[in-house]
Structure formats: structure tokens, C-alpha cells
Amino acid sequence: MQDHRPDHRGGQVQGLIKQIRRSRKEYRGSGTPTLFTTEDALAEMLLLEDGIGRPLYADEAALARTLRVKNIVTIPEMEGRKGAKGGDLVCLIVNLADYTVGADKGGAVSMFDDFDIDFNAQKYLIETRCSGALTIPFSAMAVEWAA
């Protein structure tokens, strides 16, 4: 199987981990954040080895402790996404307790129904509009490879 991703292995991945640890001082959110990343990025971080071939991180928990996050969650939808500066998005670091979800019009729910003659069935649609925002400034960090 061919690997079509750019080669960000070895020293670059180790440098990324060091930079995340250094940048953690910029995080202003509450509590310990969660790291959201792709399966590929997580695998590259877990595959790092020391000079004699032993893994640097035994498991995800060891890597999470090193990155000072509560846990690591893989998100398939992040594959191939670009960051704000044009580089490939590596991860997001955020505590979702700092994220507030709300709805306009007091959470109004609209319900529609219609008869579908093609399937001889009654169809229902329930719709609401939700929104959300970070309520604490600088409570999330987006990490990307240099463009």
C-alpha cells in the first residue's frame, strides 16, 4: 500500500511534540484539554523510537501525559484539512467544557410532514437550529504543519 501523505516522520514529529508542549503556555482554557487529531498523526507520534529502537510512548496515555492533555480522540473528518495558515491541520487542543451550545428563538423546533407517493409512506422532518462558540478567549489551539 502506498503512502501519499507528505513525510512528516522522525525529527519533524518529535519537534512537533516539543512545540506543542512549549505552546501549551498559550492555552487559557479551563481544566485539562483534550487533543483531537487524525489516526495518521496519532500513529506517527506513537511510532517514534529512541536511538536503540524502543518506542518513546508505550501507549496513547503516555503520549497524552507528555502533551499535557486529558486524552486523545481521533477524528476522521480532520483528514486532509488545512489550518488557518495553509498548512495541513495536525490537531486541535480544546476543553469542550469551554464550548457553549445554544439555539436561536429559545430552541424552537419545527416539524414538517408530507406524504411520499413514490414510497407510499408518510415522511417526517424535525428541524432545529443550533449554534455554539468558545466562551473563554484563547481556550483552543489549532496545530498545523508549516505550509
Side-chain angles (χ1 to χ4, degrees):
M1 180 155 90
Q2 285 186 326
D3 185 6
H4 298 287
R5 290 174 293 113
D7 189 13
H8 296 302
R9 289 175 175 68
Q12 290 181 336
V13 175
Q14 187 65 33
L16 174 79
I17 291 171
K18 287 180 182 178
Q19 191 59 40
I20 290 172
R21 291 178 71 180
R22 284 186 192 109
S23 299
R24 185 69 164 68
K25 68 182 178 187
E26 304 296 326
Y27 175 77
R28 300 286 185 253
S30 61
T32 306
T34 300
L35 184 132
F36 297 92
T37 188
T38 63
E39 199 65 51
D40 289 335
L42 177 60
E44 292 297 330
M45 288 185 250
L46 289 173
L47 288 173
L48 288 173
E49 297 176 340
D50 63 10
I52 57 174
R54 293 179 302 195
L56 289 178
Y57 309 106
D59 54 13
E60 288 181 33
L63 179 60
R65 281 191 304 276
T66 299
L67 294 173
R68 296 174 51 208
V69 296
K70 181 173 27 177
N71 59 348
I72 299 172
V73 178
T74 56
I75 307 291
E77 289 78 16
M78 285 181 64
E79 293 287 343
R81 299 283 181 169
K82 298 289 184 189
K85 296 181 181 176
D88 290 334
L89 188 62
V90 178
C91 65
L92 295 173
I93 301 172
V94 63
N95 185 348
L96 291 181
D98 298 333
Y99 192 82
T100 303
V101 178
D104 54 352
K105 295 184 184 177
V109 176
S110 304
M111 184 170 166
F112 306 96
D113 62 348
D114 192 20
F115 185 76
D116 188 349
I117 194 74
D118 295 332
F119 295 101
N120 194 26
Q122 189 76 16
K123 302 284 181 158
Y124 298 96
L125 172 68
I126 298 174
E127 175 184 83
T128 188
R129 296 175 191 253
C130 294
S131 59
L134 286 171
T135 51
I136 299 175
F138 305 106
S139 61
M141 294 178 12
V143 180
E144 62 184 89
W145 291 111

